[in-house]
Amino acid sequence: GTIPSELGNLSKLTDFTCSNPHHQTLSGSLPTELGNLISLKTLDLTDNALTGTLPMQLGNLSRLTSLTFQGNDLSGPIPTAVGNLQNLELLFFDDNDLTGTLPTELGKLGKLGNLKLDQNKLTGFVPREVTSIGSLEKFSIEGNNLTCY
């Protein structure tokens, strides 16, 4: 099924996980109302059949520490608003169809320890801002057309 837009009404929700590597339970696009989940710390929608683009409203989730959308069919660019997620420690967007360049705003994620963007269609240079994140321990970009400075 799809993610109902009414989910955005659950403003006290701290963890939303629907990860199923064998059944791909969720399909359709990500509702912009996800941006209303201001208490959310974990958003894990790994291994589903989600399509469409990443909504800019994800940047409203300032308490988020873990954001994982790996193994879907998401397309379009990584929104610059992801740079607003100052508490993010884990960001997995790997194994999708994301396009465009890496936003320099990723460099604002000062607590980020693990960034997986491999197996997408990302292009251009890896911004210096990203490679200067002091907390970054794992950074995976293989399977794209990205160049390091």
Side-chain angles (χ1 to χ4, degrees):
T2 60
I3 301 172
S5 58
E6 293 80 10
L7 183 73
N9 296 333
L10 303 176
S11 60
K12 303 255 189 260
L13 191 68
T14 60
D15 185 325
F16 180 49
T17 300
C18 187
S19 173
N20 196 337
H22 303 294
H23 300 300
Q24 295 191 331
T25 328
L26 296 174
S27 59
S29 60
L30 296 168
T32 57
E33 290 82 2
L34 284 178
N36 297 339
L37 301 176
I38 55 172
S39 299
L40 208 59
K41 293 183 179 177
T42 301
L43 179 55
D44 182 354
L45 300 174
T46 298
D47 291 326
N48 282 288
L50 295 168
T51 58
T53 60
L54 296 167
M56 204 65 160
Q57 292 81 355
L58 289 175
N60 298 341
L61 306 178
S62 59
R63 294 184 180 164
L64 213 54
T65 58
S66 177
L67 178 58
T68 56
F69 289 146
Q70 67 194 58
N72 282 284
D73 295 311
L74 296 166
S75 58
I78 297 171
T80 57
V82 170
N84 297 339
L85 306 177
Q86 302 290 309
N87 291 305
L88 209 56
E89 298 170 8
L90 183 79
L91 178 59
F92 288 177
F93 285 168
D94 51 307
D95 198 18
N96 279 287
D97 291 315
L98 299 175
T99 57
T101 59
L102 293 184
T104 57
E105 289 81 0
L106 288 174
K108 296 179 182 176
L109 304 178
K111 296 181 180 178
L112 194 64
N114 199 338
L115 176 58
K116 289 181 70 173
L117 301 171
D118 38 321
Q119 306 306 323
N120 279 288
K121 297 174 182 171
L122 299 167
T123 57
F125 287 96
V126 174
R128 286 191 175 96
E129 292 86 350
V130 174
T131 58
S132 63
I133 300 172
S135 58
L136 200 57
E137 295 175 4
K138 296 179 182 177
F139 179 38
S140 181
I141 57 171
E142 64 231 13
N144 287 289
N145 193 14
L146 291 166
T147 305
C148 294
Y149 280 102

